[in-house]
Amino acid sequence: MADDIKILAFDVFGTVVDWHRSIMDEVRSMHLDVDADQFALAWRAGYMPAMQKVMSGELGWTLIDDLHRMILDDLLVRFGVTQLSEEQKRHLNKAWHRLGAWPDTVAGLRRLKQRYTICTLSNGNIGLLTNMAKQAGLPWDCVLSAEVFQKYKPDPATYLGVAKIFDVEPGQVMLVAAHQDDLAHARACGLKTAYIERPLEYGASQVKDVSPHPDNTFHARDLEQLAGLLRC
Amino acid sequence: MADDIKILAFDVFGTVVDWHRSIMDEVRSMHLDVDADQFALAWRAGYMPAMQKVMSGELGWTLIDDLHRMILDDLLVRFGVTQLSEEQKRHLNKAWHRLGAWPDTVAGLRRLKQRYTICTLSNGNIGLLTNMAKQAGLPWDCVLSAEVFQKYKPDPATYLGVAKIFDVEPGQVMLVAAHQDDLAHARACGLKTAYIERPLEYGASQVKDVSPHPDNTFHARDLEQLAGLLRC
């Protein structure tokens, strides 16, 4: 099974980096008078509906950086934060460029990279993903993004786009993600799938169900364990 | 001057990798009964006219891999090569994915990467550039290609696209290239420019003029010297 696979495409937010802790840390470091856990969760929760607006055509093609900012502007009102300058808002919005890796991520990616081409497949924009990689030391062979395809996941154009870019069959690409719905959409396009447990993706207040799904090609605790399963 | 620059975008064919020697080596390793120097030069020479067909709209958007193949098919006829199987032609066409770096490239890029975001800005497709980077050990932060912009250099959308992707001003991007025309187009878009001497780009039979042009921000013998000039 693993021998057919040539390309590992990684979901990023939650799978590779710990957005919840990183956003909480940023909020705290700016001394905002809000519940950092709730603020982080609300920011992330705004992401799906914002992306839906793009997918439905209500909004034209919009980068995640700009969607994050629209959500942030709403949140600051809702959480009663009024003291931030424009520069501080821009800085806070770029917190998503500075997300920290899970402890196993860098070592796991380094091992996987020896045998496979490893790339991102994220709705994050290319600039965001590149800045994040540089800061967190993520050794991608290539940064692929919804921005390249001008379609957001779960549009099939994104999953199939990876195969097309590397001139391989869909079954030679494996999506690695901590989200069963993302993996199900990839599978429907003929990709292999690897589920990564990230029980604390939403923080300790909302521990995630990480039960295996039988349709995934692999199920791993983390990226180091995935590297082991793939004999890297 | 160097302090404003945040992003170094690299032309690839000729600037970072030695296409002439690499293609000659591939042709020789396949024991084709042709003058390898002439074959390599002719293959490369076919590239501009093929790209022009895309830029003029005569051809729809076409990846370099496919342009290379169209040129190759013509060349094989012209050079009287008739014995290649389809698989061998595909293999030979992918020689462009296996181009070798100039001796200074990897060390130079590693130094430059410590201070700048380093990316490709090439008409090569993303798959080609990623395979090449993996094979030659090119440590890009990000692989940018005409494919991302759906425009070939020298379309301004490519040069300005780099600035847009990284959310910086055009003057905070420097194009690094061994071709004065590419640099002139980048400069017209407000980018900084660094010329890299590659006198042997076309082989020993056609040594290239590498005189400095006063409008370039930097002029360097190779990427190691550029790293020195930029105090990396």
Side-chain angles (χ1 to χ4, degrees):
Chain A
M1 187 63 89
D3 295 340
D4 293 344
I5 299 168
K6 299 228 178 303
I7 314 291
L8 301 182
F10 291 77
D11 172 65
V12 172
F13 300 123
T15 302
V16 168
V17 292
D18 179 356
W19 58 265
H20 180 264
R21 167 160 302 280
S22 303
I23 295 294
M24 282 208 305
D25 289 350
E26 294 263 355
V27 164
R28 284 178 182 144
S29 76
M30 290 182 80
H31 306 291
L32 300 190
D33 184 23
V34 299
D35 179 322
D37 170 60
Q38 291 303 309
F39 193 90
L41 290 172
W43 204 352
R44 181 68 178 164
Y47 169 81
M48 268 298 179
M51 227 165 40
Q52 285 294 353
K53 285 189 194 167
V54 176
M55 294 177 81
S56 71
E58 185 184 333
L59 265 181
W61 177 255
T62 312
L63 294 184
I64 290 286
D65 270 346
D66 298 318
L67 295 179
H68 278 147
R69 179 57 195 267
M70 289 162 45
I71 305 162
L72 175 62
D73 286 340
D74 271 356
L75 276 192
L76 292 174
V77 174
R78 261 172 60 199
F79 281 77
V81 177
T82 54
Q83 80 274 27
L84 294 187
S85 67
E86 174 57 26
E87 198 188 322
Q88 287 175 308
K89 288 179 199 172
R90 283 176 61 93
H91 175 79
L92 179 54
N93 199 50
K94 290 220 165 158
W96 296 92
H97 293 221
R98 297 184 296 267
L99 302 179
W102 296 104
D104 53 283
T105 292
V106 174
L109 290 180
R110 284 213 186 117
R111 287 170 62 185
L112 292 163
K113 181 177 170 138
Q114 310 218 333
R115 185 152 169 204
Y116 301 97
T117 292
I118 60 169
C119 67
T120 56
L121 179 61
S122 166
N123 285 337
N125 41 296
I126 300 172
L128 178 156
L129 294 169
T130 303
N131 290 341
M132 178 200 286
K134 211 160 168 69
Q135 196 127 352
L138 311 176
W140 303 121
D141 288 309
C142 179
V143 171
L144 291 184
S145 153
E147 190 180 358
V148 173
F149 307 111
Q150 301 273 304
K151 297 279 180 193
Y152 281 122
K153 287 194 290 182
D155 192 298
T158 58
Y159 305 111
L160 295 172
V162 178
K164 218 170 143 192
I165 275 184
F166 291 110
D167 194 18
V168 297
E169 298 299 318
Q172 295 179 300
V173 179
M174 181 156 74
L175 182 71
V176 181
H179 311 113
Q180 299 287 11
D181 53 343
D182 196 5
L183 296 168
H185 286 289
R187 230 166 17 241
C189 292
L191 277 68
K192 305 276 193 305
T193 56
Y195 179 75
I196 307 298
E197 298 181 359
R198 294 300 186 195
L200 295 180
E201 176 178 358
Y202 297 92
S205 72
Q206 288 193 25
V207 177
K208 213 169 73 172
D209 174 19
V210 294
S211 329
H213 188 295
D215 291 347
N216 287 317
T217 323
F218 295 97
H219 177 107
R221 193 176 55 248
D222 59 26
L223 297 183
E224 289 255 47
Q225 197 186 36
L226 180 65
L229 292 172
L230 291 171
R231 283 169 278 122
C232 293
Chain B
M1 186 65 91
D3 296 340
D4 292 345
I5 299 168
K6 299 226 178 305
I7 314 289
L8 302 183
F10 291 75
D11 172 64
V12 172
F13 299 124
T15 301
V16 167
V17 292
D18 180 355
W19 58 265
H20 180 265
R21 168 161 300 281
S22 304
I23 295 294
M24 281 207 305
D25 289 349
E26 296 261 357
V27 164
R28 285 180 181 143
S29 76
M30 290 181 81
H31 306 291
L32 301 189
D33 183 24
V34 300
D35 180 321
D37 172 60
Q38 292 303 310
F39 194 90
L41 290 172
W43 205 351
R44 182 66 178 167
Y47 168 82
M48 268 298 179
M51 228 166 40
Q52 285 293 353
K53 286 190 194 167
V54 176
M55 295 178 80
S56 71
E58 186 185 333
L59 265 181
W61 176 254
T62 312
L63 294 185
I64 290 286
D65 270 345
D66 299 318
L67 296 179
H68 278 147
R69 178 58 195 265
M70 288 162 44
I71 304 161
L72 175 61
D73 286 341
D74 271 356
L75 276 192
L76 292 175
V77 175
R78 263 175 55 199
F79 281 77
V81 178
T82 54
Q83 79 275 28
L84 295 187
S85 66
E86 174 57 26
E87 198 188 322
Q88 286 174 308
K89 289 181 199 169
R90 284 174 60 94
H91 175 77
L92 179 54
N93 198 49
K94 290 219 166 158
W96 296 93
H97 292 222
R98 298 184 295 265
L99 301 179
W102 296 104
D104 53 281
T105 293
V106 174
L109 290 180
R110 283 211 187 119
R111 286 170 63 185
L112 292 163
K113 182 177 170 139
Q114 312 217 332
R115 184 151 168 206
Y116 301 96
T117 292
I118 60 169
C119 66
T120 56
L121 179 61
S122 168
N123 286 338
N125 42 296
I126 300 173
L128 179 156
L129 294 169
T130 303
N131 290 342
M132 177 198 289
K134 211 161 169 68
Q135 196 126 350
L138 312 176
W140 304 121
D141 289 310
C142 180
V143 171
L144 291 183
S145 155
E147 190 180 359
V148 174
F149 307 111
Q150 301 273 302
K151 299 277 180 194
Y152 280 124
K153 288 195 288 181
D155 192 299
T158 59
Y159 305 110
L160 295 173
V162 179
K164 218 169 143 192
I165 275 183
F166 292 111
D167 193 18
V168 299
E169 297 299 318
Q172 296 179 299
V173 178
M174 182 154 74
L175 182 71
V176 182
H179 311 114
Q180 298 288 9
D181 54 343
D182 196 5
L183 296 168
H185 286 290
R187 232 171 10 246
C189 293
L191 276 68
K192 306 277 195 300
T193 56
Y195 180 76
I196 307 299
E197 297 180 2
R198 295 297 187 198
L200 295 180
E201 175 176 1
Y202 297 93
S205 72
Q206 289 193 23
V207 177
K208 214 171 71 173
D209 173 20
V210 296
S211 330
H213 189 295
D215 292 348
N216 287 317
T217 322
F218 294 96
H219 178 108
R221 193 177 53 249
D222 58 26
L223 297 183
E224 288 254 49
Q225 196 187 36
L226 181 66
L229 293 172
L230 291 171
R231 281 168 280 122
C232 293

